[in-house]
Amino acid sequence: MVPGLARALAGELVRRAEVERSLMRQARDGPAGAWRDALAACRARNAEALGTIVRRHGWPAASQVGAPASTAALVILLHAPDLALQLGCRDLIARAAADGRCPALHHAYIADHCAVELGLPQYYGTRVDPVTLRPYPVRRVGTVDERRRDVGLGPLDEQLRRLREGAWGARET
């Protein structure tokens, strides 16, 4: 990919993720209806744009567009209302991670996301039920911390403890 195109794609991905993040804050802090509709529309537009980028240029790996833009692409993908796009990109991200073009952590997040959406056990325990604050089912839970360590994640129990402390602290304030 030529440098000018890579910079343009990077800027577009980061901009789109920032717009979504702003809408998420507004939806969380404001009246439910209008902001949630705007957020859903934003996510649909972002998914369409990401799909176009991926069809034309492949997965926007960190080695091409930089780490912030590649992470922005992952966030857009995780929030996309299109499981087919997520599944297709999961495989592209797996190859990019295996080749060292993007962090293995990106593959862990999208692999778990797709598994949960398909009703299958996740591999890394990155997806947590927001109501119970417990992970969705995990494949071979006895070895999950080894898989997590391989992609740069800490132990699952530690993640859950921090999540629960943060959630309870947020409810008390």
Side-chain angles (χ1 to χ4, degrees):
M1 181 179 307
V2 296
L5 176 59
R7 280 192 302 277
L9 290 177
E12 181 66 10
L13 290 165
V14 169
R15 183 194 67 76
R16 286 180 173 279
E18 287 173 355
V19 167
E20 180 184 340
R21 193 171 15 259
S22 174
L23 285 171
M24 285 172 46
R25 279 191 302 272
Q26 293 168 3
R28 183 187 63 229
D29 298 338
W35 291 117
R36 289 198 180 137
D37 292 345
L39 180 59
C42 175
R43 287 178 171 172
R45 286 189 307 270
N46 285 352
E48 185 177 332
L50 180 61
T52 299
I53 289 169
V54 169
R55 281 190 301 280
R56 290 182 182 164
H57 309 287
W59 179 254
S63 63
Q64 294 174 306
V65 297
S70 186
T71 299
L74 178 67
V75 169
I76 290 168
L77 182 63
L78 289 169
H79 296 163
D82 183 350
L83 183 59
L85 175 65
Q86 293 167 335
L87 290 167
C89 288
R90 175 196 62 190
D91 298 337
L92 295 174
I93 294 168
R95 284 194 291 276
D99 294 344
R101 293 179 290 121
C102 78
L105 184 62
H106 287 195
H107 180 253
Y109 281 117
I110 191 61
D112 278 0
H113 178 84
C114 290
V116 169
E117 292 301 310
L118 293 169
L120 301 170
Q122 56 183 323
Y123 299 93
Y124 303 95
T126 63
R127 291 284 309 271
V128 175
D129 184 316
V131 175
T132 64
L133 297 179
R134 291 199 168 112
Y136 289 103
V138 175
R139 180 178 301 208
R140 295 188 312 270
V141 72
T143 58
V144 70
D145 285 338
E146 292 172 34
R147 292 189 299 277
R148 290 174 63 87
R149 185 175 42 252
D150 289 345
V151 298
L153 290 167
L156 182 57
D157 286 342
E158 183 179 308
Q159 173 190 331
L160 295 174
R161 180 186 53 75
R162 284 193 318 267
L163 179 65
R164 289 180 182 124
E165 287 172 356
W168 290 329
R171 287 185 197 136
E172 294 171 358
T173 58

